[in-house]
Amino acid sequence: MGSTTGPRRPVHRIATGAVALLAAVGLITACGSGDGGSGGGNGGGGAANAKGVDDGTKLTMWTRAATRPQSEALVKAYNANHDNEIELTVIPTDDYQAKVGAAAGSGDLPDLFASDVVFVPNYTSSGLFSDLTDRVDALPFADSLAQSHIKAGTYEGKKYVVPHTLDLSVLFYNKDLYREAKLDPEKPPTTLAEWDEQARAVDALGGDVSGTFFGGNCGGCGVFTWWPSIWAADEDVLNEEGTEADLASDTARKVYDTYRGWVQDDIVAPGARDETGATWTGVFPKGKVGVMPMPSTTLGLMPEDLDLGVAPIPGPDGGKSTFVGGDAVGISATSKSADQAWNFLAWSLDDEAQVDVVAANKDVVARTDLASNKHSEADPRLVTINELVAHGRTPYALKFGQTFNDPNGPWLALMRDAVFGDGSSVAKDNDAVTASLGD
Amino acid sequence: MQVKAPGRATHASPARPEHPVRPRPTTPLWRSRTAQGLAYAAPTAVFVAVFFLLPLLLVGQMSLSDWPLLAGDRGGNAPENYTDVTDSPLFWPAIRFTLLYTVLVTVVLLGLALLLALLVQESRPAAGFFRTVYFLPGAVGLASASLLFWGLYSPTTGPLSRILESLGLVDDPVSFLGSPTSALLSTVFLVVWKFAGFYMLILLVGLQRIPHEVYEAARTDGASRGQIFRSITLPLLRPSLALSLLLCVTGSLLAFDQFFILTKGGPDNSTVTIVQLIYREAFQRLDLGTAAALSIIVLGALLLLNVLQFRGLRRADES
C-alpha cells in the first residue's frame, strides 16, 4: 500500500518495550540490592562512655503525634544545652507503624526513634534497634527506670530501649459532681463495685450529666483502661510469651459485666458505642462526666477550673494497677552516630531532665526514685500517678497491633460483644485473640 | 502451459536496467530512523516503566514472596499468598459488602447526577449558579470531605444530632455511624454529596452534544416529555452514561478513604471493603505478600469487569 511506516511499527514496539523493560529490570535490581538495611548497626556500645558523645553532631529522631508535647519539650531542652542537635519529626500516630516499617525496609531509619511501648517487641525482634544493654546497665539509676518499659524492650536477654514518655491509665473523677451527688470528693473508688456505685450516683443527677465514659469502638482504649482492673486482681491477660490470651476469665467477665451494666442502664455519656478513640479524652474536660479512666498525660491539658481528683484503677475486689503505656525510645540499628544518640538518651533520663522538663510538665517521670519531686509535691495527684508505675504492667506480644489495636481485629470484637452484646461469645472471641497472637 | 512471470526468468539474464542496484548511503547508527524513533520513544518508555510497569512488577514479585514490611527474609513462597487470601474471616464479608456498596452508590449517584444534569441542562436564569453549586463538593478532597462528615455525624461533638434533637425529631443523640445499616447509608450519603456534581458534569456534556434539531423534530411529531426522554435523551446519552458507569463502578469497588475515616470498617466489621482488607494485611498485620496477592486479584477482577463494560459499550455503539 505504499506505507513507509508500516514495516517499522514492530521495530518501534519492540524498541519501546525493550527500553521500558531494561529500565524496569535495572530499577528492580537497584531496589533489591538495598534490602538488607537493618544490618550493620554499631550500637553495641560496650566501650562507649556512659554519657555518650556531645560533639555537635546533627541527629534525626521520629516520634508519634500522640506523645508530641513530651518529646518536643525534651528535645527543645536538650538542643538548648548541648552541641549535638536533634531534629525531631512528628508522624501521625496511625501512620507510625507503616512509616517505621517502610523506612526499615529501605534502610532509611532516623538515628533515634520512639515507639508506642506495646509495639517495641515487634521492632526489637526484627532487629531495628541497637543493643543498649551495657549503656543502660552503666546508668547509676538503671534499677529505677520504669521496669515495664525496660522489660518490653528486652529481647533475648539484651536491652534495646529506654523509657521516653510514660502514659498511665488512671481514674479521673469530677469533685464538683461528687459533691453535688453527696459523695465524698476525697474518697474515690477502691473497688469496681464502688466505682459502679459512684458512677451511678453521679448519673442520677440527671440533665446532661453522665456517670462515666469509655471508648467502646476502640480496641486500644479497652486494653489501656480495662486490663488494669484485671491486673489489680493479680491476674494476667496474656501468657509470658504473649502468644495466648486469658480474656475470658471470671475476673475479666466481672469487669465486662460492670461495663455492660453501665451501657444497659444508660450510665455512660452519649457516643461511647461509636467512640473510635479519636475524641474519648475530650468528654471528661467538659465537666459532665463523674468518673472515668483516662491517660495520665491528659492531666496537664485539663481546664484550670475543673476540680478533679485522680485515683488508681481498681479491680473487682480492690487492688490497684495501671497500664504503663507511652513511648520507649532506642537508637536505630542503622545509625552512624550511636554515641551521640546515646548522649541524648542518657541526658533525657537524668535528674535534671526528668524533674525540670518532664515533671514540670505534669507528666510521669521515667524513674521510680523521682516519683516524689519538687513538682509532684505541689500536686499530690502527680505523686499518686508516679507511684503507680511500680504497680503497673506493660503487656508483651509480638502481634500486639494486629490483635488489639486493629479496629478490625479480634479483641475489639470481644470487647463489643462483652459490653454491647450479651457476652455469650467471649470464650470464642478469646480463642480468636489467641489465634491472632500466634499468627 | 505455464507462463513465467516477467523478471522470474530462470535463465541467466543481464542485470535489469529498470532496477539499478545503487549502494545505499551509509548513515551513522545514531542518525538512522530507528535510533531517532527510539530516542523519541525513550522518555515515554522510561516514564511508563518507572511509574506503571515497575510498581506492577514489584507488586507481582511481592505477591509471590514472603515479604514482611519489616526487615527480614524475602524468599519466594508461591502460591501461598494467593491461597492464604481467603483465610481472613473478613474476606468474603468484605467482597459482599463492597459489591453491595457499589450497587447502592452506582444506582443512587448516577440517578441523582442525571436528574441534576437535566435540571441545569437548559440556559435558564441561575442555571450557571446551580451548576457551580452542584459541582462545588467535587472540588473538596475525599479525605477532607470524610473528615468533615465525621465531625458532622459525631453524636458527642457533631451538630447534626443536636439539630435533630432541638427540632424535636429525636429524643436521644443520633448515632449515624453506630449500626451497620446507618453506617453504610451515612457513607453513601457522603459519597453522593461529594460526587453527584462531578458526574452531573459528565452527563451535562453528553446532554449538550445532543442536537437541538432532534428534540425539535420530536416535539413537532407530538412526542411527550417522557417519550423524548426514553427515545432520544437516554439512547443518545449512552456514551456519557457508560463512561460514568465505568468510573463509578471502578471507584466504588476501590472504596477506601471514606470508610477508613468514617467507620474504620465498623461497627463490628460491617463496613470492611476489599481495599481496607489490603491495607489491613499490609499495615496492621505487616504482611505485604498477602496484601500484594489481594491487590493482584482485585486488579484482575477490575480488568475483567472493564473489558466486559467496554465490550458492552462498543456493542451498544455499533447497534
Side-chain angles (χ1 to χ4, degrees), chain B residues 14 22 24 30 49 51 64 71 116 129 165 173 179 181 184 186 214 221 223 238 314-315:
Chain B
R22 270 180 288 173
R24 292 182 69 178
W30 62 273
F51 294 106
L64 301 171
L116 293 179
F129 170 76
E165 277 181 89
S179 77
T181 310
L184 169 62
S186 301
V214 185
D221 288 347
R238 198 150 48 195
R314 212 167 286 152
R315 202 167 297 152

Side-chain angles (χ1 to χ4, degrees), chain A residues 29-282:
Chain A
T29 317
C31 288
S33 65
D35 283 350
S38 63
N42 62 346
N49 80 56
K51 291 206 166 184
V53 175
D54 184 19
D55 59 358
T57 303
K58 280 193 190 298
L59 299 160
T60 50
M61 176 173 168
W62 287 358
T63 194
R64 62 187 174 123
T67 48
R68 173 187 193 144
Q70 292 81 11
S71 298
E72 273 183 348
L74 279 168
V75 167
K76 197 175 160 195
Y78 179 81
N79 285 347
N81 296 315
H82 291 79
D83 293 332
N84 289 342
E85 193 185 336
I86 295 179
E87 188 193 332
L88 182 70
T89 303
V90 181
I91 293 161
T93 303
D94 285 345
D95 299 339
Y96 200 71
Q97 276 211 87
K99 175 99 175 160
V100 169
S106 58
D108 291 329
L109 282 171
D111 293 302
L112 292 146
F113 70 98
S115 160
D116 186 334
V117 66
V118 293
F119 296 135
V120 164
N122 204 346
Y123 299 146
T124 55
S125 61
S126 300
L128 266 58
F129 286 121
S130 296
D131 177 11
L132 301 177
T133 313
D134 296 336
R135 297 182 196 264
V136 174
D137 289 346
L139 290 170
F141 41 77
D143 293 340
S144 307
L145 291 173
Q147 287 307 303
S148 49
H149 275 221
I150 296 291
K151 201 173 144 197
T154 302
Y155 181 68
E156 294 180 340
K158 291 177 182 164
K159 295 170 183 152
Y160 291 93
V161 297
V162 292
H164 180 53
T165 56
L166 264 67
D167 196 4
L168 274 56
S169 46
V170 283
L171 278 185
F172 278 46
Y173 64 100
N174 186 320
K175 290 188 177 181
D176 286 334
L177 292 179
Y178 265 52
R179 284 185 202 101
E180 276 182 54
K182 307 281 185 268
L183 295 167
D184 185 344
E186 301 311 320
K187 284 194 178 163
T190 56
T191 65
L192 203 53
E194 282 181 20
W195 179 359
D196 183 60
E197 281 165 26
Q198 294 179 7
R200 287 170 186 273
V202 173
D203 193 74
L205 291 172
D208 52 359
V209 171
S210 300
T212 190
F213 187 70
F214 63 92
N217 200 12
C218 163
C221 307
V223 164
F224 192 63
T225 57
W226 297 15
W227 289 7
S229 286
I230 303 171
W231 291 330
D234 211 22
E235 281 189 27
D236 219 330
V237 288
L238 300 177
N239 67 348
E240 190 88 358
E241 297 79 30
T243 52
E244 229 170 85
D246 188 13
L247 289 157
S249 65
D250 289 344
T251 306
R253 285 175 192 274
K254 279 182 196 167
V255 177
Y256 310 147
D257 289 347
T258 307
Y259 277 83
R260 187 166 62 244
W262 290 334
V263 170
Q264 280 170 351
D265 299 338
D266 207 13
I267 308 296
V268 189
R273 197 185 177 104
D274 302 347
E275 181 54 63
T276 55
T279 53
W280 73 291
T281 58

Side-chain angles (χ1 to χ4, degrees), chain B residues 232-247:
Chain B
I232 295 177
T233 308
L234 271 187
L236 292 180
L237 195 59
R238 198 150 48 195
S240 300
L241 275 173
L243 174 67
S244 305
L245 190 70
L246 196 78
L247 290 176

Side-chain angles (χ1 to χ4, degrees), chain B residues 2-3 18 31 33 67-68 82 115 124 131 133 141 144 166 189 192-193 195 199-200 255 258 263 291 293:
Chain B
Q2 196 177 359
V3 179
E18 65 271 26
R31 288 188 66 185
R33 293 183 68 95
W67 196 303
Y82 286 91
L115 186 69
R124 291 184 194 138
R131 281 178 200 171
V133 169
S144 316
S166 62
F189 183 80
V192 169
W193 174 83
F195 287 105
Y199 287 105
M200 172 203 75
Q258 59 271 43
T263 68

Side-chain angles (χ1 to χ4, degrees), chain B residues 206-219:
Chain B
L207 281 175
Q208 292 185 338
R209 283 177 56 195
I210 302 175
H212 274 285
E213 294 79 10
V214 185
Y215 285 119
E216 279 164 18
R219 277 192 213 105

Side-chain angles (χ1 to χ4, degrees), chain A residues 5 8 11-12 15-16 19-21 23-25 27-28 31 35 38 94-95 97-98 100-102 104-105 122-123 126 128 213 217 266 270-271 273-276 278-279 283 286 399 401-402 405-410 412-413 416 436 439, chain B residues 24 33-34 37-38 41-42 44-46 48-50 53-54 57-58 61 67 69-72 74 90 150 153-157 162 172-179 260 262-269 272 276 279-280 283-286:
Chain A
T5 55
R8 292 185 192 277
V11 178
H12 266 277
T16 312
V19 170
L21 205 65
V25 170
L27 277 162
I28 285 177
C31 288
D35 283 350
S38 63
D94 285 345
D95 299 339
Q97 276 211 87
V100 169
N122 204 346
Y123 299 146
S126 300
L128 266 58
F213 187 70
N217 200 12
D266 207 13
R273 197 185 177 104
D274 302 347
E275 181 54 63
T276 55
T279 53
V283 179
K286 290 179 183 166
K399 306 286 183 184
Q402 71 175 42
N405 291 70
D406 178 6
N408 308 123
L412 188 59
R416 287 177 63 84
S436 175
D439 190 4
Chain B
R24 292 182 69 178
R33 293 183 68 95
T34 310
L38 273 177
T44 313
V46 169
V48 168
V50 171
L53 273 179
L54 177 67
L57 287 172
L58 270 178
Q61 190 194 351
W67 196 303
L69 187 63
L70 300 174
R74 289 175 174 171
L90 297 173
W150 183 81
Y153 286 148
S154 166
T156 38
T157 54
R162 238 170 281 161
D172 296 314
V174 184
S175 176
F176 290 98
L177 303 169
S179 77
F260 185 71
L262 276 183
T263 68
K264 290 192 185 299
D268 304 319
N269 294 339
V272 180
Q276 266 182 298
Y279 178 87
R280 181 174 185 262
F283 299 115
Q284 295 285 348
R285 292 166 48 82
L286 307 180

